[in-house]
Amino acid sequence: MGSSFGVLFRITTFGESHGPGLGVVVDGCPPRLTLDVAHIQAELDRRRPGQSRLVSQRKEADRVEILSGVLDGVTLGTPIALVIRNEDARSRDFEEVARAYRPSHADYTYDAKYGIRAVAGGGRASARETAARVAGGAIAQQLLRSSGVEIVAWVDEVAGIAATVDPDVVTRADVDRNDIRCPDEAVAAAMIERVEEARKAGDSVGGVVRVVARGVPAGWGEPVFDKLDADLAKAMMSIPAVKGVEVGSGFAGTRMAGSEHNDLFYRKDDGSIGTRSNRSGGIQGGISNGAPVTMRIAFKPTATIMRPQDTVDPDGNPTVLAPRGRHDPCVLPRAVPIVEAMAALVLADHHLRQRALRPPSVRPGP
Amino acid sequence: MGSSFGVLFRITTFGESHGPGLGVVVDGCPPRLTLDVAHIQAELDRRRPGQSRLVSQRKEADRVEILSGVLDGVTLGTPIALVIRNEDARSRDFEEVARAYRPSHADYTYDAKYGIRAVAGGGRASARETAARVAGGAIAQQLLRSSGVEIVAWVDEVAGIAATVDPDVVTRADVDRNDIRCPDEAVAAAMIERVEEARKAGDSVGGVVRVVARGVPAGWGEPVFDKLDADLAKAMMSIPAVKGVEVGSGFAGTRMAGSEHNDLFYRKDDGSIGTRSNRSGGIQGGISNGAPVTMRIAFKPTATIMRPQDTVDPDGNPTVLAPRGRHDPCVLPRAVPIVEAMAALVLADHHLRQRALRPPSVRPGP
Amino acid sequence: MGSSFGVLFRITTFGESHGPGLGVVVDGCPPRLTLDVAHIQAELDRRRPGQSRLVSQRKEADRVEILSGVLDGVTLGTPIALVIRNEDARSRDFEEVARAYRPSHADYTYDAKYGIRAVAGGGRASARETAARVAGGAIAQQLLRSSGVEIVAWVDEVAGIAATVDPDVVTRADVDRNDIRCPDEAVAAAMIERVEEARKAGDSVGGVVRVVARGVPAGWGEPVFDKLDADLAKAMMSIPAVKGVEVGSGFAGTRMAGSEHNDLFYRKDDGSIGTRSNRSGGIQGGISNGAPVTMRIAFKPTATIMRPQDTVDPDGNPTVLAPRGRHDPCVLPRAVPIVEAMAALVLADHHLRQRALRPPSVRPGP
Amino acid sequence: MGSSFGVLFRITTFGESHGPGLGVVVDGCPPRLTLDVAHIQAELDRRRPGQSRLVSQRKEADRVEILSGVLDGVTLGTPIALVIRNEDARSRDFEEVARAYRPSHADYTYDAKYGIRAVAGGGRASARETAARVAGGAIAQQLLRSSGVEIVAWVDEVAGIAATVDPDVVTRADVDRNDIRCPDEAVAAAMIERVEEARKAGDSVGGVVRVVARGVPAGWGEPVFDKLDADLAKAMMSIPAVKGVEVGSGFAGTRMAGSEHNDLFYRKDDGSIGTRSNRSGGIQGGISNGAPVTMRIAFKPTATIMRPQDTVDPDGNPTVLAPRGRHDPCVLPRAVPIVEAMAALVLADHHLRQRALRPPSVRPGP
């Protein structure tokens, strides 16, 4: 259970880290969308391990294959199935792991839940699962792009080192310019140095990814439970290693007075209604207001470190987990396309939901 | 759309602020649960306006009536409908509001979405909607209590003034001891003073609610999208005025090294497996690990303030919104039972989901 | 569980036969629909007991009250809650019943499922539950009418006595002209005589309701599982006492050759594409083809009869159930508005689903 | 949309007739179930074309591959993805078809809905889609078998030629003994003769499949909308070519008096409660009563025939569709495993749903 996401634009993912393969079924993509497969592959490449020395060195080509739902490069309106084969499945690395619960991983909780666990590579709990999200999210992004919505995420903070980035203008080209995926070049250098330090120390660091969605028209999101920000929060919190989510002003906003925090409405030059500030993060009452949708997502330091750690085996016997295998001292750069994918999945779903219920007499924008 | 929440323990709410009434239908509550109606009413009373001078003075008795699903105080397994009538509907306060979009409220976004809006009191976007959540959540809490789960929330921070509270031992009695619902008495006094200041200044303050769920067994939560923390994040972010959510170490955890952050496993005195720290917030890989589930929720300062504010009317004409009507300078104390309700709804749902899929050979705990 | 129906136009019902009340929450009705409350009441009146001596004499005014989602007679896009109070709750009639399982009722199965049961009047299993469907369905019908869809059902067969009715032209006025709701007047008289016979004999009869939906544009319905006919079949089979469902040619079609059964396409005078026959019942591959959608629904004879019947009590002890209380010798006339309501709920839902996913380049018809 | 089925035991299918492949993702299968892959393949082989001269001669090996969710032959509790590659994709047969709408196929309705269509082999509307159902249903059957539930379907009627079969004792071995899958050997011979006649005449025949599920405990199924029979009706009506569904007495029951139709309760020799007849088809009030669940499903004659037929092309121009390609004069034998699969999917889902909500104090049977 729990491997589907979305109401109308709905994905279902599958796959263990070291099984035959993983993939995603996208049900609810409208027909007659020209699908750019190279873009899907490019997004997967941005998530893939082994891109730089900052991230895990696992070798996976992550070649995506489309099994259904597309004909001559155009969507049919039927489910689109994407499959990625696993290749580098060095399960010998995981023998010891089978006996010891890795701290702050999901080994113990999977055993408690299922009474069985695919030990190699963390099975379904592996971050490898996110490749399926990225593939599905790439299709969502293409749908959104045809409606004028653009999503950009970047690494905003690493181990407390914070960047300054303007969400209104930052581009993906800016983000991908360096290995850490932080468009503030000076800060990026400091971040990379910090990650290198952690790697040498056999340790890991965490950080914050920020994401903006520009061009979202006013009116997306449902009141009460399926608020746009609520669905975005779920989407982000479901990404492995995420421990916090902020929309707009977030926790900092709790220290402001209402008179400072409120976004005052005004008439923009083009005659439309806008707000002078965007502490709401583009969402008011759970519904988009036309301003950029902005979020910050907290990633804990990677749980896998190259140091011995005290733990227990499944029988509760104390043991020491020796460092072994591959190590990703900072997941942040690879998290960027995952965050973009999850944002796109939520927005595409709410785009279609609004299409279904929009009254005829409201302008056909959203 | 979007007024239902949960998969198995599922609520559907309805009601505008100044319509005839509001309510909730709970579908999926197991049969033969003894239902304490006084407890439901008590939770509603904790959320109700007019409890102290710290909060809004709207007069609402919020008397709950059960229309179905319960016989002689015991649940039947069929939908439980709870209805609350609106009484104090002073719609004359809202005449001007009809013309001016209130800053950081949902007036503009509802108009953009629906092309129609129940102006009085904010309609469906009113915080009054949360009474239905509290009623439904009270039933969830009674179900959880029968499984040994206890939920306590409190005001952890007001306008940056932070309390020190031990989540392992704090009780509701501790929380309800003062008007601000902060169990750290010294800090509570400072918070109350800060709220009074804001009220006198016609301004408002925000803050942070913290919540803990104790007694959640290991094994609740689904992998990938319906992670326990993901569903909790959605639940909390769907509460009006929430701008941020943290599980366990949250944003602070992003500044720690992996070697500091990891929760090491050990064998507890009773032979079970525990963790020496709880930076995971009781959830690893989206599944509960038996430790207390802990979250922090950021509430922005109340949007309604007693000061004139620049804004526009629906036609985009500039206007000034004059202060008028009632004012809640700090929603935090009333947010406490709402946060508890939402936590309970998520946990009750995952409790039932785990009952459905738990393998027979795993111990019958969860 | 199981008290909600629909994906986008979604209803949730509640209520026991002899509890305080019953009702329905409609979530997903588009905003700005002018709602005719008198029509909702009129549909409830058509379902109500006591309309004629052919049906049960229980006294229920079935006055509907709207609690939310509507302002000044126009829908807001938010959940519409409709409540009906129970009045005639003569629970003394049910004392004996508490001890004996009524044959072909749900007493035994509710006990087996829940371990508890609202004995009076059958609780949630009472046909009284269908009042909520009719109320929700009336809103669906109003939505559909604004899109040019018209639904008419009638009694097509009683105890084997079959009517001849033209589905292309029959109107509700034709149907409501007599107590049995059969527009074939001669056959209607024979049916009424047969029901009277059954009533005098303390027995009951079954029959078939037929329904047609005219004006459904081509393109509604999803392929594979959520086919339009599949959702209609579920909708109809969920009505109490239904044992069979046919679309188009139904079981009779199984005895035809393919060369006789196929509906040949041709160009109609207005240039559009039609079929020369309609054995498909307006649905091909699960998707409407523009022809009238036609179904037949089989209702078993009423289980309550005025004769002693052998049965057992909850402990398995043999006993005789004595005839008692009210008796509905033929539910067919009251089933007509229920069938119409269920058809409308399915069609309204698929109408919205098609709005969400229709490609921009397809003509804006459906 | 519409390619998922089930609430807890939930499948999502994908695939066009002549695309790269098709498959199914099963999310919600409990962990630690020993999975017999040979059984899945055997069920696919029973559905496969080319088994006998009675059915289509398309050559497809239909080899199933498991991509996830299973380790060393045991389920992990995570999604199980099954993929089948398409091999015999003779798309040249479909050139003419691209221009002419085949009568009583879904060509026209797919065009109307999507504005695009995978012409070759009917795309997603092809009966080939059902291979994914059979694969998913085989897993459901293995889960049910571990709970003592056994499902058997057979061809009960071909072109009006009806068999006599005892649903209480018939086995799959009985069914698979002849090519037409009718366990009444004498009638089977007559059916086969009738199909041969149709094949020689370039025509097709329809018929009825009957299915029984034995060993279903009392208590499965939800009241109101998700009744066990309602979900079964949807499941069956979603199978290509189905036009009617009956539970228990079905349409014949409408011609009986209540006094004849009612199933009287009695105490069985083992002390449990049973019914003396089973006109209810094992379901009362939407909930199983412990008796065998029985249904009859009507299949129209195959739409593809080897005769010229009048039709139109997408522009509405009259044309004649010439017979061409492969031809399945009677789909009934291949429908048997599909009906069993759909029955299993519904029962597995309700099995899990009842596990989730069953009160602790009720005996742990279901």
Side-chain angles (χ1 to χ4, degrees):
Chain A
M1 264 201 299
S3 288
S4 294
F5 188 76
V7 172
L8 291 181
F9 192 98
R10 184 171 175 86
I11 65 166
T12 300
T13 71
F14 59 87
E16 274 71 44
S17 172
H18 285 63
L22 55 91
V24 60
V25 181
V26 180
D27 197 11
C29 184
R32 301 180 71 150
L33 180 73
T34 301
L35 208 65
D36 180 353
V37 183
H39 168 255
I40 303 174
Q41 187 63 55
E43 290 301 303
L44 284 166
D45 292 346
R46 293 176 79 215
R47 191 215 70 92
R48 213 172 61 191
Q51 300 171 64
S52 77
R53 61 184 181 171
L54 295 181
V55 298
S56 165
Q57 297 304 308
R58 178 172 175 175
K59 296 283 179 297
E60 287 290 354
D62 282 358
R63 303 312 303 180
V64 66
E65 184 191 10
I66 300 183
L67 291 187
S68 66
V70 180
L71 188 69
D72 299 335
V74 178
T75 60
L76 291 166
T78 53
I80 306 169
L82 306 176
V83 170
I84 299 163
R85 297 270 162 182
N86 290 325
E87 296 174 354
D88 179 13
R90 289 187 285 171
S91 56
R92 66 188 175 281
D93 285 353
F94 299 99
E95 280 163 35
E96 183 185 5
V97 169
R99 293 193 307 274
Y101 286 140
R102 291 171 299 162
S104 291
H105 275 275
D107 303 338
Y108 169 67
T109 53
Y110 268 61
D111 265 3
K113 180 175 192 66
Y114 295 121
I116 185 173
R117 176 166 55 99
V119 166
R124 184 84 178 129
S126 164
R128 182 146 183 72
E129 163 264 312
T130 58
R133 303 176 186 233
V134 169
I139 296 177
Q141 288 183 52
Q142 295 188 32
L143 174 64
L144 289 168
R145 204 170 298 162
S146 74
S147 295
V149 176
E150 184 188 26
I151 298 168
V152 182
W154 63 93
V155 175
D156 208 45
E157 214 178 298
V158 167
I161 306 171
T164 304
V165 177
D166 182 349
D168 291 350
V169 298
V170 63
T171 67
R172 287 209 182 168
D174 297 337
V175 173
D176 283 351
R177 201 159 290 142
N178 56 55
D179 286 349
I180 198 74
R181 290 209 168 97
C182 172
D184 180 337
E185 287 288 347
V187 170
M191 288 172 170
I192 290 172
E193 197 175 345
R194 184 67 193 81
V195 174
E196 280 300 308
E197 259 177 55
R199 192 166 62 87
K200 282 170 194 158
D203 212 335
S204 65
V205 293
V208 177
V209 170
R210 195 169 178 196
V211 62
V212 63
R214 295 186 293 246
V216 176
W220 292 8
E222 301 295 328
V224 187
F225 299 113
D226 293 357
K227 287 186 162 89
L228 189 59
D229 38 355
D231 278 349
L232 284 166
K234 172 170 176 168
M236 298 307 164
M237 196 66 94
S238 77
I239 300 173
V242 171
K243 304 301 287 181
V245 173
E246 292 181 323
V247 175
S249 63
F251 281 85
T254 68
R255 292 183 288 275
M256 298 170 80
S259 57
E260 298 170 285
H261 191 274
N262 281 354
D263 293 321
L264 302 185
F265 289 106
Y266 75 112
R267 176 154 47 186
K268 294 200 285 190
D269 290 343
D270 65 1
S272 69
I273 295 174
T275 56
R276 294 205 181 271
S277 51
N278 188 18
R279 292 183 194 99
S280 300
I283 302 174
Q284 290 171 327
I287 300 167
S288 59
N289 69 355
V293 174
T294 63
M295 298 185 74
R296 293 176 83 248
I297 300 107
F299 288 80
K300 70 174 184 179
T302 325
T304 299
I305 55 175
M306 293 296 104
R307 295 181 178 196
Q309 295 180 90
D310 289 342
T311 189
V312 297
D313 68 14
D315 299 320
N317 300 315
T319 182
V320 173
L321 182 75
R324 192 160 186 176
R326 293 170 292 227
H327 171 226
D328 212 340
C330 178
V331 296
L332 276 286
R334 294 178 58 202
V336 163
I338 303 169
V339 164
E340 290 167 339
M342 294 311 298
L345 289 166
V346 172
L347 290 169
D349 190 37
H350 279 282
H351 169 39
L352 298 184
R353 292 172 78 168
Q354 179 62 1
R355 274 171 55 159
L357 290 188
R358 185 162 37 81
S361 39
V362 170
R363 68 188 185 291
Chain B
M1 266 202 296
S3 288
S4 294
F5 188 77
V7 172
L8 292 181
F9 191 98
R10 183 171 175 87
I11 66 166
T12 300
T13 71
F14 59 88
E16 273 72 43
S17 173
H18 285 63
L22 55 92
V24 60
V25 181
V26 180
D27 197 11
C29 184
R32 300 181 70 151
L33 179 73
T34 300
L35 207 66
D36 180 354
V37 182
H39 168 254
I40 302 174
Q41 187 62 56
E43 289 300 304
L44 283 167
D45 291 348
R46 293 175 78 215
R47 192 214 71 92
R48 212 171 61 191
Q51 300 170 64
S52 77
R53 62 180 182 174
L54 295 181
V55 297
S56 164
Q57 297 305 307
R58 178 172 173 173
K59 295 284 179 298
E60 286 291 354
D62 282 357
R63 304 312 304 180
V64 67
E65 183 190 11
I66 300 183
L67 290 187
S68 66
V70 180
L71 187 69
D72 300 335
V74 179
T75 61
L76 292 166
T78 53
I80 305 170
L82 306 176
V83 170
I84 299 163
R85 297 270 162 182
N86 289 326
E87 297 174 353
D88 180 11
R90 289 189 284 170
S91 55
R92 66 186 175 282
D93 285 353
F94 298 99
E95 279 163 38
E96 183 185 6
V97 168
R99 293 192 308 273
Y101 286 142
R102 293 171 299 163
S104 290
H105 275 275
D107 303 337
Y108 170 66
T109 54
Y110 268 62
D111 264 2
K113 181 177 191 67
Y114 295 122
I116 186 173
R117 175 167 56 99
V119 166
R124 184 84 178 129
S126 165
R128 182 146 182 74
E129 163 265 312
T130 58
R133 303 177 186 233
V134 168
I139 297 177
Q141 288 183 53
Q142 295 188 32
L143 174 64
L144 289 167
R145 204 172 294 163
S146 74
S147 296
V149 176
E150 184 188 27
I151 297 168
V152 182
W154 63 93
V155 175
D156 207 44
E157 215 177 298
V158 168
I161 306 170
T164 304
V165 177
D166 183 350
D168 291 349
V169 299
V170 63
T171 67
R172 287 210 181 168
D174 298 337
V175 172
D176 284 350
R177 203 159 289 142
N178 56 55
D179 287 348
I180 198 76
R181 290 210 168 96
C182 171
D184 181 335
E185 287 287 348
V187 170
M191 288 172 170
I192 290 171
E193 197 174 344
R194 184 68 193 81
V195 174
E196 280 301 309
E197 259 177 53
R199 191 165 65 86
K200 282 169 194 159
D203 212 334
S204 65
V205 293
V208 177
V209 170
R210 195 171 177 194
V211 62
V212 62
R214 295 185 294 245
V216 176
W220 292 8
E222 301 295 327
V224 188
F225 300 113
D226 292 356
K227 287 185 162 88
L228 188 58
D229 37 356
D231 278 348
L232 284 165
K234 172 170 177 168
M236 298 306 165
M237 196 66 92
S238 77
I239 300 173
V242 171
K243 303 302 287 181
V245 174
E246 292 181 323
V247 174
S249 62
F251 281 86
T254 68
R255 294 182 287 274
M256 300 171 77
S259 57
E260 298 170 284
H261 190 274
N262 281 353
D263 294 321
L264 302 184
F265 289 106
Y266 74 111
R267 175 151 49 187
K268 295 201 285 190
D269 290 343
D270 65 2
S272 69
I273 294 174
T275 57
R276 293 204 182 271
S277 50
N278 187 20
R279 291 181 196 101
S280 300
I283 302 173
Q284 290 171 329
I287 300 167
S288 60
N289 69 356
V293 174
T294 63
M295 298 184 75
R296 292 178 83 247
I297 300 104
F299 287 80
K300 70 173 184 180
T302 324
T304 300
I305 56 175
M306 293 296 105
R307 295 181 180 197
Q309 294 181 92
D310 289 342
T311 188
V312 297
D313 67 16
D315 298 320
N317 299 314
T319 181
V320 173
L321 183 75
R324 193 157 186 179
R326 292 171 294 228
H327 171 224
D328 213 340
C330 177
V331 296
L332 276 287
R334 294 177 58 203
V336 163
I338 303 168
V339 164
E340 290 167 340
M342 293 311 298
L345 289 166
V346 171
L347 290 168
D349 190 37
H350 278 282
H351 169 38
L352 298 184
R353 291 172 79 167
Q354 178 62 359
R355 273 172 57 160
L357 291 187
R358 185 162 37 80
S361 40
V362 169
R363 70 188 184 291
Chain C
M1 265 201 298
S3 288
S4 294
F5 188 77
V7 172
L8 291 181
F9 192 98
R10 183 171 176 87
I11 66 166
T12 299
T13 71
F14 59 88
E16 274 71 44
S17 173
H18 285 64
L22 55 90
V24 60
V25 182
V26 179
D27 197 10
C29 183
R32 301 180 70 151
L33 180 73
T34 300
L35 208 65
D36 180 354
V37 182
H39 168 255
I40 303 174
Q41 188 62 55
E43 289 301 303
L44 285 166
D45 291 347
R46 292 175 79 216
R47 191 215 71 92
R48 213 172 60 192
Q51 299 171 64
S52 77
R53 60 183 184 175
L54 295 181
V55 297
S56 165
Q57 297 305 306
R58 179 174 174 174
K59 296 283 180 298
E60 286 290 353
D62 281 358
R63 305 310 305 180
V64 67
E65 184 191 10
I66 300 184
L67 291 186
S68 66
V70 180
L71 187 69
D72 299 335
V74 178
T75 61
L76 292 166
T78 54
I80 305 169
L82 305 176
V83 170
I84 299 162
R85 297 271 162 181
N86 290 324
E87 296 174 354
D88 180 11
R90 288 188 287 172
S91 56
R92 66 187 174 282
D93 284 352
F94 299 99
E95 279 165 36
E96 183 184 7
V97 169
R99 293 193 306 275
Y101 286 141
R102 293 171 299 162
S104 291
H105 275 275
D107 302 338
Y108 170 66
T109 53
Y110 267 62
D111 265 2
K113 181 175 192 66
Y114 294 122
I116 185 172
R117 177 166 54 100
V119 166
R124 185 83 178 130
S126 164
R128 182 146 182 71
E129 163 264 313
T130 59
R133 303 177 185 234
V134 168
I139 297 177
Q141 288 183 52
Q142 295 187 33
L143 174 63
L144 289 168
R145 203 170 295 162
S146 74
S147 295
V149 176
E150 184 188 27
I151 298 168
V152 182
W154 64 93
V155 175
D156 207 43
E157 213 178 298
V158 168
I161 305 170
T164 304
V165 177
D166 182 349
D168 291 350
V169 298
V170 63
T171 67
R172 287 208 182 169
D174 298 336
V175 172
D176 283 351
R177 201 159 289 141
N178 56 55
D179 286 349
I180 198 75
R181 291 211 167 95
C182 171
D184 180 335
E185 287 287 349
V187 171
M191 288 172 171
I192 290 173
E193 197 175 345
R194 183 68 193 81
V195 174
E196 280 300 309
E197 257 178 54
R199 192 166 64 85
K200 283 172 194 158
D203 211 336
S204 65
V205 292
V208 177
V209 171
R210 195 170 178 196
V211 63
V212 62
R214 295 186 293 245
V216 176
W220 291 8
E222 300 295 326
V224 187
F225 299 113
D226 293 357
K227 288 185 161 90
L228 188 58
D229 38 355
D231 278 348
L232 284 165
K234 172 170 176 165
M236 298 306 165
M237 195 66 92
S238 77
I239 300 173
V242 172
K243 303 303 286 181
V245 174
E246 292 180 323
V247 175
S249 62
F251 280 86
T254 69
R255 292 183 288 276
M256 299 171 79
S259 56
E260 298 169 284
H261 191 274
N262 281 354
D263 294 321
L264 302 185
F265 288 106
Y266 76 111
R267 176 153 47 187
K268 294 201 285 189
D269 290 343
D270 65 1
S272 69
I273 295 174
T275 56
R276 293 203 182 272
S277 51
N278 187 18
R279 291 181 196 101
S280 299
I283 302 173
Q284 290 171 328
I287 300 167
S288 60
N289 69 355
V293 173
T294 63
M295 298 186 74
R296 292 177 82 247
I297 300 105
F299 286 81
K300 69 173 185 180
T302 323
T304 299
I305 55 176
M306 292 297 104
R307 295 179 178 196
Q309 294 180 91
D310 288 342
T311 188
V312 298
D313 68 15
D315 299 320
N317 299 316
T319 183
V320 174
L321 182 74
R324 193 156 185 180
R326 293 171 292 228
H327 169 226
D328 212 341
C330 177
V331 296
L332 276 287
R334 294 177 58 203
V336 163
I338 304 169
V339 164
E340 290 168 340
M342 293 310 298
L345 289 167
V346 172
L347 290 168
D349 191 36
H350 278 282
H351 169 39
L352 298 184
R353 292 172 79 167
Q354 179 63 0
R355 275 171 55 159
L357 290 187
R358 184 162 38 81
S361 39
V362 170
R363 70 186 185 292
Chain D
M1 264 201 299
S3 288
S4 294
F5 188 77
V7 172
L8 291 181
F9 191 98
R10 183 171 176 86
I11 66 165
T12 300
T13 71
F14 59 88
E16 274 70 44
S17 172
H18 284 63
L22 55 92
V24 59
V25 181
V26 180
D27 197 11
C29 183
R32 301 181 71 149
L33 178 73
T34 301
L35 207 65
D36 180 354
V37 182
H39 168 254
I40 302 174
Q41 188 62 55
E43 289 300 304
L44 284 167
D45 291 347
R46 293 176 78 215
R47 191 214 71 92
R48 212 172 60 192
Q51 300 170 64
S52 77
R53 61 182 183 174
L54 295 181
V55 297
S56 164
Q57 297 304 308
R58 178 173 173 173
K59 295 284 179 296
E60 285 290 354
D62 281 358
R63 306 311 305 182
V64 67
E65 183 190 11
I66 300 183
L67 290 188
S68 67
V70 179
L71 188 69
D72 300 335
V74 178
T75 60
L76 291 166
T78 53
I80 305 170
L82 305 176
V83 171
I84 299 163
R85 296 269 163 183
N86 289 326
E87 296 173 355
D88 181 11
R90 290 188 284 172
S91 55
R92 65 186 175 282
D93 286 353
F94 299 99
E95 279 162 37
E96 182 184 7
V97 168
R99 293 192 306 274
Y101 286 141
R102 293 172 298 163
S104 291
H105 275 275
D107 303 337
Y108 170 66
T109 53
Y110 268 60
D111 264 2
K113 181 177 191 65
Y114 294 122
I116 186 174
R117 176 166 56 98
V119 166
R124 184 82 179 129
S126 164
R128 180 144 184 74
E129 163 265 312
T130 59
R133 302 177 186 235
V134 168
I139 296 178
Q141 288 183 52
Q142 295 187 32
L143 174 64
L144 289 167
R145 205 171 295 162
S146 74
S147 295
V149 175
E150 185 188 27
I151 297 167
V152 182
W154 64 93
V155 174
D156 208 44
E157 215 177 297
V158 168
I161 306 170
T164 303
V165 177
D166 183 349
D168 291 350
V169 299
V170 63
T171 67
R172 287 209 182 167
D174 298 337
V175 173
D176 284 349
R177 202 159 287 142
N178 56 54
D179 286 348
I180 197 75
R181 290 211 167 96
C182 172
D184 181 335
E185 286 287 349
V187 170
M191 288 173 171
I192 290 172
E193 198 174 344
R194 184 68 193 80
V195 174
E196 280 300 309
E197 257 177 55
R199 191 166 62 87
K200 282 170 193 157
D203 213 334
S204 65
V205 293
V208 177
V209 170
R210 196 169 177 196
V211 62
V212 62
R214 295 185 293 247
V216 176
W220 291 9
E222 301 295 327
V224 188
F225 300 113
D226 293 356
K227 288 186 161 88
L228 189 58
D229 37 356
D231 278 349
L232 284 165
K234 172 171 176 167
M236 298 307 166
M237 196 65 93
S238 77
I239 300 174
V242 171
K243 302 302 287 181
V245 173
E246 292 181 323
V247 175
S249 62
F251 281 86
T254 68
R255 293 182 288 274
M256 299 172 77
S259 56
E260 298 169 283
H261 190 274
N262 281 353
D263 294 320
L264 301 185
F265 288 106
Y266 75 112
R267 174 150 52 187
K268 295 201 284 190
D269 290 342
D270 66 1
S272 68
I273 294 174
T275 56
R276 293 205 182 272
S277 51
N278 188 19
R279 291 180 195 101
S280 300
I283 302 174
Q284 290 171 330
I287 300 167
S288 60
N289 69 356
V293 174
T294 63
M295 297 184 76
R296 293 177 83 248
I297 300 105
F299 287 81
K300 69 173 185 180
T302 324
T304 300
I305 56 177
M306 292 296 104
R307 296 180 178 196
Q309 294 181 91
D310 288 342
T311 189
V312 296
D313 67 16
D315 298 320
N317 300 314
T319 182
V320 173
L321 183 75
R324 191 157 187 179
R326 293 170 293 228
H327 170 225
D328 212 342
C330 177
V331 297
L332 276 288
R334 294 177 58 202
V336 163
I338 302 169
V339 165
E340 290 167 340
M342 293 311 298
L345 289 167
V346 172
L347 291 168
D349 190 38
H350 278 282
H351 170 39
L352 298 184
R353 291 172 79 167
Q354 178 62 1
R355 273 171 57 159
L357 289 188
R358 184 162 36 80
S361 38
V362 170
R363 68 187 185 291

